[in-house]
């Protein structure tokens, strides 16, 4: 046995004793480590250049890295039921066009997905989806004894470290997909490497799989130099995480802009980081709590990088990361950030009247040697759909509608009928409506569906149904068992990229980007594609249905923006009148004070004041001011106590009554100022206090009106707007107190006249 083999085995044995490998804990060096290493087979034997068997990734990497720890990673632990699934991600979509079936499948169990065991065993799952998997599915003959011979011959889909970390130019991940299709599971990872080629087919007696290694890549010691990088190139991520818009309005790739973070010099892994355990940071708010991760990963969210995370244990993360610019969001009320995610304005395509057709790498097998440019490929995915995310905030999402045959166990619970079973009992019917082109839906109209249900019914004890496009189709005798509302739910997952810069974000043109009577953000039409060719009821098509907002209210609220310029003008004009009266009487009071200060006599007027002009109008103004003030105070205080901003019809009432209140106060100050002067013959304390309350109320009215009015202009950023809201809140409280004192002190002021300057 050679010395290098002895040393290698000793290193492996030592690492097992101590539990850590030499590369598990970085030594602080930030340069790129040169991976000049031997290749090991699954039995940890060193391969020579003339070997014809595949090298094993786990065995070769395990000499320095704890592969068992790596198996816990996000890309490899899909089959672990104990791993928290976190936020909903893109599902694997199982499509069987002949039976009109498309369902979400995920190894992670959650309410939105079927587990693959309902539609495919482990072997079929790898054959269908292994093309875009970096490995980690390795069923053994012991766990699946009925397929023991298959797994011994074909192997499992081992962890493929090279799928991400191989930066060599000749790396071809599409080769893995090709060999998985042939059943060469064990050889698929090797086939992607530039220094190896695989020929043959597993299970073939005439041409079994064989590997050819490039002998020029091996040094005299039998080692090979690999271009392994810690910072993964974005092209590796794109192989599994690309999407394309494929409708008629889509631009060709050369006219599209790259993701703003990539054009700024960042890479995917600058945000989506991981340690040895390969648990990638997904970058959504609340990830630490949902997935049991360290709190500091919250600093790698949009808010964490651009605004800072004040809960971060590391103080340097509290003001942002990676030099990210701090957005000011000029003119956008802070309430938006309580209801919208960052991606609502910054991610995906600009909202249009109709949602867009989308292809993704995982759903449509993009990036393989066979170019799939057909825009009508199944499954039919659409977006962006603005719907509440995991945190309740509106988030752009991709959407598709499941379609499948099932047994109805209760009014809102179904048991999937596997496509092969449907084909077995109703294959003759379905073949008659088979589409002319591959990758299209069959023509499943209501008559065909009834025929298939009739063919399936004798073979099942429960009612048989077909669910598609948010509707449940059943035979007449079973229709009473169906709760249609239980099946009108699509599958959605967040659309996080591409991120658009501030100049291309929603709101850059003002409120009109979202708040118009026909705004696509609220009233865009969501396409419902299903094998039936029949859309669900019309109310399911409006974007407002998915965003869970009151469409009638939102349409009325959006129309109110037409009057925003008038509202601003009225409030500014009322404020100008109040300020003019305050300035006039303030200057007159200053003159009197100056005369008094130098010892000159001050003018006195003891004659009763004439009745104010427009007395009837003044008599109406006082009740109007107090009633409006009471309503706005109650609603405002209630919102503060609830810890939520004003919203809904209460907010609309606030905005409607606001300018009316401003006009009433301006007229009241203008018409009643002479009755509330502070210098006169009546020097009783109670009268002076009440008169002072009038002028303080007039003064407090200015910040109450202006704090909201100026916030409607795009002059101030988020923090300044928050300050204006605080000023509005406290000045409103002060105004309410002053008005209550004016009313409360009136009975105590019995005299019917006062003096003027």
């Amino acid at each position: 046995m050679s010395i290098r083999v002895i040393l290698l085995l000793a290193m492996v044995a030592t690492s097992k004793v101590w539990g850590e490998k030499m590369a598990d804990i970085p030594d602080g060096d930030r340069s790129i480590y040169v991976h000049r290493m031997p290749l090991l087979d699954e039995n940890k034997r060193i391969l020579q250049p003339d070997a014809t068997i595949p090298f094993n990734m786990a065995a070769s990497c395990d000499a320095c890295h704890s592969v068992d720890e790596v198996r816990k990673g996000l890309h490899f632990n899909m089959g672990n039921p104990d791993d928290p699934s976190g936020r909903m991600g893109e599902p694997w979509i199982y499509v069987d066009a002949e039976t009109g079936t498309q369902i979400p499948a995920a190894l992670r169990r959650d309410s939105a997905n079927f587990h693959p065991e309902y539609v495919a065993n482990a072997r079929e799952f790898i054959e269908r989806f292994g093309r875009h998997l970096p490995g980690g599915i390795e069923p053994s003959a012991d766990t699946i004894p009925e397929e023991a011979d298959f797994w011994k011959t074909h192997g499992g889909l081992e962890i493929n470290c090279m799928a991400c970390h191989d930066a060599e130019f000749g790396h071809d991940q599409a080769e893995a997909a090709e060999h998985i299709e042939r059943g060469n599971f064990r050889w698929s990872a090797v086939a992607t490497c530039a220094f190896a080629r695989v020929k043959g087919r597993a299970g073939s007696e005439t041409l079994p799989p064989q590997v050819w290694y490039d002998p020029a890549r091996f040094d005299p010691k039998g080692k090979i130099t690999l271009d392994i990088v810690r910072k993964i190139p974005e092209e590796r991520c794109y192989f599994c995480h690309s999407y394309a818009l494929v409708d008629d309005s889509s631009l060709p790739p050369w006219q599209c802009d790259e993701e703003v973070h990539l054009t700024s010099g960042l890479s995917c892994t600058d945000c989506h980081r991981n340690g040895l355990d390969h648990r990638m940071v997904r970058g959504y708010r609340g990830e630490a709590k949902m997935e049991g991760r360290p709190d500091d990963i919250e600093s790698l969210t949009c808010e964490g990088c651009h605004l800072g995370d004040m809960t971060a244990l590391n103080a340097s993360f509290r003001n942002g990361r990676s030099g990210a610019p701090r957005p000011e969001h000029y003119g956008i009320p802070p309430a938006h950030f309580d209801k919208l995610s960052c991606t609502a304005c910054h991610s995906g395509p600009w909202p249009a009247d109709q949602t867009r057709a989308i292809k993704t790498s995982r759903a449509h097998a993009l990036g393989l040697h066979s170019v799939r440019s057909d825009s009508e490929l199944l499954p039919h995915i659409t977006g962006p759909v603005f719907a509440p995310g995991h945190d309740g905030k509106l988030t752009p999402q991709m959407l598709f509608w499941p379609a499948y045959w099932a047994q109805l166990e209760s009014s809102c619970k179904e048991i999937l009928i596997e496509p092969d079973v449907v084909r077995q009992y109703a294959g003759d019917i379905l073949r008659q409506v088979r589409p002319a082109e591959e990758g299209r839906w069959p023509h499943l109209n209501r008559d065909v569906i009834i025929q298939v249900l009739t063919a399936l019914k004798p073979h099942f004890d429960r009612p048989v149904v077909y669910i598609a496009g948010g509707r449940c189709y059943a035979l007449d005798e079973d229709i009473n068992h169906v709760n249609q509302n239980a099946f009108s739910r699509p599958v959605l997952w967040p659309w996080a990229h591409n991120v658009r810069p501030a100049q291309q974000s929603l709101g850059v043109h003002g409120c009109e980007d979202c708040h118009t009577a026909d705004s696509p953000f609220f009233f865009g039409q969501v396409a419902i594609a299903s094998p039936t060719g029949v859309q669900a009821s019309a109310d399911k098509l409006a974007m407002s249905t998915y965003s869970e907002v009151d469409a009638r209210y939102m349409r009325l609220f959006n129309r109110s923006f037409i009057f925003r310029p008038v509202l601003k003008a009225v409030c500014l004009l009322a404020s100008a009148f109040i300020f003019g009266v305050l300035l006039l009487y303030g200057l007159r009071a200053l003159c009197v004070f100056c005369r008094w200060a130098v010892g000159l006599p001050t003018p006195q007027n003891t004659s009763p004041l004439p009745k104010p002009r427009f007395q009837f109008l003044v008599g109406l103004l006082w009740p109007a001011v107090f009633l409006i003030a009471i309503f706005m105070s109650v609603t405002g205080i209630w919102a503060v106590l609830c810890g939520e901003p004003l919203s809904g019809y209460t907010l609309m009432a606030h905005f409607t009554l606001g300018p009316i209140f401003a006009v009433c106060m301006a007229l009241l100050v203008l018409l009643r100022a002479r009755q509330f002067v502070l210098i006169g013959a009546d020097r009783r304390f109670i009268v002076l206090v009440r008169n002072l309350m009038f002028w303080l109320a007039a003064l407090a009215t200015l910040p109450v009106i202006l704090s909201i009015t100026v916030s409607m202009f795009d002059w101030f950023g988020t923090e300044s707007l928050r300050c204006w809201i605080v000023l509005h809140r406290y000045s409103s409280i002060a105004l309410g107190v002053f008005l209550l004192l004016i009313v409360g002190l009136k009975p105590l002021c019995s005299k019917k006249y006062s003096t003027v300057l």
Side-chain angles (χ1 to χ4, degrees):
M1 185 180 293
S2 64
I3 294 177
R4 66 173 181 267
V5 175
I6 295 175
L7 290 175
L8 181 64
L9 293 176
M11 184 171 60
V12 173
T14 304
S15 66
K16 287 185 177 180
V17 172
W18 294 103
E20 291 180 351
K21 306 295 176 70
M22 58 163 30
D24 285 355
I25 302 177
D27 61 0
D29 178 47
R30 301 173 71 177
S31 64
I32 297 177
Y33 180 79
V34 178
H35 286 75
R36 187 177 295 112
M37 53 186 282
L39 301 179
L40 306 183
D41 66 9
E42 59 186 4
N43 296 315
K44 299 190 185 251
R45 295 175 300 193
I46 296 178
L47 297 179
Q48 300 302 319
D50 58 353
T52 59
I53 61 176
F55 77 92
N56 184 275
M57 294 279 182
S60 300
C61 299
D62 194 57
C64 300
H65 306 275
S66 296
V67 174
D68 286 340
E69 191 70 15
V70 174
R71 294 181 197 277
K72 300 176 182 178
L74 178 68
H75 290 87
F76 312 119
N77 66 358
M78 294 178 292
N80 182 4
D82 298 325
D83 186 75
S85 58
R87 184 176 75 170
M88 174 73 177
E90 180 183 359
W92 300 100
I93 302 178
Y94 180 97
V95 177
D96 188 288
E98 184 180 2
T99 61
T101 299
Q102 67 173 15
I103 58 176
L107 290 169
R108 291 186 177 90
R109 297 179 184 271
D110 57 60
S111 58
N113 294 321
F114 291 95
H115 196 268
E117 67 191 28
Y118 294 116
V119 292
N121 56 33
R123 170 184 170 182
E124 292 171 331
F125 187 82
I126 294 176
E127 289 173 343
R128 278 184 174 268
F129 305 122
R131 50 181 165 72
H132 284 95
L133 278 171
I137 303 179
E138 304 179 54
S140 65
D142 298 333
T143 57
I144 311 177
E146 63 272 15
E147 295 191 356
D149 292 339
F150 175 86
W151 294 112
K152 286 180 181 178
T153 303
H154 297 258
L157 200 65
E158 66 177 43
I159 286 180
N160 183 3
C161 307
M162 305 290 273
C164 299
H165 292 283
D166 186 5
E168 192 165 345
F169 178 75
H171 180 95
D172 186 1
Q173 194 61 29
E175 282 287 340
E178 189 169 310
H179 284 277
I180 287 172
E181 186 177 352
R182 296 182 195 173
N184 299 340
F185 299 166
R186 183 183 289 117
W187 293 263
S188 61
V190 180
T192 66
C193 300
F195 56 83
R197 292 291 180 270
V198 178
K199 293 183 179 181
R201 182 184 295 270
S204 172
E205 296 181 359
T206 57
L207 188 62
Q210 287 190 335
V211 183
W212 173 85
Y213 294 100
D214 184 357
R217 296 291 300 271
F218 289 79
D219 66 10
K221 296 182 179 180
K223 294 183 178 181
I224 187 169
T225 301
L226 303 176
D227 189 5
I228 302 295
V229 293
R230 182 186 303 114
K231 192 171 184 178
I232 298 167
E234 56 267 18
E235 289 79 9
R236 295 287 176 266
C237 305
Y238 272 155
F239 184 79
C240 296
H241 300 288
S242 291
Y243 75 88
L245 300 172
V246 292
D247 52 21
D248 295 337
S249 60
S250 301
L251 295 174
W254 64 272
Q255 292 188 29
C256 299
D257 293 336
E258 181 59 279
E259 221 272 355
V260 65
H261 293 94
L262 300 183
T263 58
S264 301
L266 297 175
S267 68
C268 302
T269 54
D270 285 323
C271 298
H272 301 288
R273 306 182 185 187
N274 64 275
L276 174 65
D277 60 5
H278 281 59
R279 294 187 66 186
M280 306 289 294
V281 174
R282 297 175 64 188
Y284 63 87
R285 201 70 175 167
E287 179 179 2
K289 183 177 181 180
M290 290 184 70
E291 300 189 20
R293 308 289 300 280
D295 290 339
D296 274 356
I297 70 168
E298 294 290 329
S299 65
L300 291 171
T301 60
C302 302
E303 298 95 326
C305 273
H306 289 276
L307 299 175
D309 178 22
M310 297 309 295
T311 64
L313 299 178
N314 190 322
S316 63
F317 299 160
R318 295 174 187 170
N319 293 312
R321 301 191 67 165
S322 302
R326 187 178 184 87
E328 291 294 337
H329 294 113
Y330 285 101
I332 300 180
H336 285 66
F337 307 114
D338 298 327
K339 298 181 179 181
L340 302 176
S341 66
C342 299
T343 54
C345 299
H346 289 277
S347 291
W350 192 276
D353 293 337
Q354 299 281 342
T355 50
R356 314 285 296 276
I358 307 163
K359 290 196 303 187
T360 73
S361 296
R362 291 168 51 181
H364 298 91
L366 306 183
L368 307 187
H369 291 156
S370 55
V371 178
R372 301 172 65 84
S373 57
D374 189 349
S375 61
E376 296 294 328
L377 284 175
L378 299 177
H380 292 157
I381 300 175
T382 188
V385 177
F386 294 93
H390 70 286
D391 55 358
K393 295 183 179 181
L394 287 185
T395 303
Q397 307 200 38
M398 297 187 188
L399 172 151
F400 91 99
W401 288 88
Y404 52 93
W405 306 88
Q407 301 177 68
L408 197 62
E409 189 173 34
S410 64
S411 61
C412 48
K413 185 177 181 182
E414 67 276 5
I415 302 174
L416 184 73
I417 300 176
E418 297 180 18
D420 287 341
V421 176
V422 176
R423 196 177 290 109
Q424 177 183 350
Y425 298 129
D428 294 338
I429 301 171
L430 294 171
R431 278 189 285 272
Q432 295 175 12
V433 294
R434 181 181 295 170
E437 297 180 65
E438 186 179 355
R440 302 289 195 275
W441 286 126
H443 305 292
L444 294 182
N445 56 34
R446 182 176 291 275
D447 292 337
V448 175
I449 294 173
I450 295 300
Q451 291 179 44
V452 175
L453 292 175
T454 304
L456 293 175
K457 186 174 178 61
H459 305 282
F460 299 96
D461 298 331
R462 301 181 180 89
V464 180
V465 297
Y466 181 58
I467 297 167
R471 282 189 168 183
C472 183
Y473 299 86
L475 298 173
D476 291 340
E477 59 266 29
D478 298 328
I479 197 67
N480 294 330
H481 300 283
V482 174
N483 177 7
Q484 286 286 353
N485 294 329
F487 307 106
S488 59
R489 56 183 188 273
V491 176
L492 301 101
W493 62 95
W495 191 337
H497 298 280
N498 286 348
V499 175
R500 303 190 305 272
Q503 298 88 338
Q504 299 173 12
S505 62
L506 279 176
V508 69
H509 304 120
C511 304
E512 294 77 13
D513 282 352
C514 297
H515 295 292
T516 57
D518 56 352
S519 163
F521 187 87
F522 293 108
F523 306 112
Q525 298 299 300
V526 180
I528 298 182
S530 76
T532 64
V534 179
Q535 292 181 332
S537 54
D539 62 337
K540 301 299 182 185
L541 294 172
M543 189 77 72
S544 57
T545 302
Y546 304 97
S547 55
E548 298 180 3
V549 299
D550 184 342
R552 186 175 301 175
Y553 160 76
M554 191 53 63
R555 203 176 293 275
L556 183 63
F557 180 71
N558 287 355
R559 285 199 174 102
S560 71
F561 280 77
I562 299 173
F563 305 101
R564 278 291 177 96
V566 177
L567 184 149
K568 296 175 187 177
V570 168
C571 289
L572 290 175
L573 193 61
S575 300
F577 272 107
I578 295 173
F579 178 76
V581 173
L582 289 173
L583 181 63
L584 175 63
Y585 279 84
L587 291 175
R588 294 177 67 181
L590 181 62
C591 291
V592 173
F593 176 78
C594 291
R595 292 175 64 88
W596 173 80
V598 297
L600 296 177
T602 58
Q604 298 289 333
N605 188 354
T606 58
S607 62
L609 289 173
K611 291 184 178 180
R613 296 179 180 180
F614 310 107
Q615 188 171 7
F616 175 74
L617 177 61
V618 173
L620 294 177
L621 289 176
W622 278 114
V625 165
F626 281 105
L627 288 175
I628 295 174
I630 290 172
F631 173 81
M632 299 182 77
S633 298
V634 170
T635 55
I637 292 172
W638 178 256
V640 172
L641 293 177
C642 294
E644 296 181 356
L646 278 174
S647 61
Y649 290 102
T650 305
L651 176 64
M652 285 193 64
H654 234 71
F655 270 98
T656 303
L657 294 175
I660 299 175
F661 178 80
V663 171
C664 290
M665 279 299 297
L667 290 174
L668 199 61
V669 171
L670 185 65
L671 298 176
R672 295 286 289 174
R674 294 183 63 192
Q675 277 69 38
F676 287 92
V677 292
L678 295 175
I679 301 173
D682 193 343
R683 297 306 181 98
R684 289 181 304 156
F685 177 74
I686 197 67
V687 174
L688 293 177
V689 170
R690 185 169 183 264
N691 291 356
L692 178 63
M693 292 302 106
F694 174 85
W695 293 107
L696 289 178
L699 185 63
T701 302
L702 288 178
V704 170
I705 298 173
L706 292 176
S707 58
I708 292 300
T709 305
V710 298
S711 66
M712 297 182 194
F713 295 91
D714 55 355
W715 298 339
F716 303 99
T718 305
E719 296 307 317
S720 299
L721 290 174
R722 294 187 193 278
C723 294
W724 283 118
I725 291 173
V726 172
L727 176 61
H728 177 77
R729 183 174 298 166
Y730 286 104
S731 59
S732 298
I733 293 173
L735 175 60
V737 172
F738 298 147
L739 290 176
L740 286 174
L741 287 174
I742 292 173
V743 175
L745 295 176
K746 184 177 181 180
L748 302 179
C749 302
S750 57
K751 288 196 175 184
K752 298 182 179 179
Y753 67 92
S754 60
T755 58
V756 295
L757 297 179

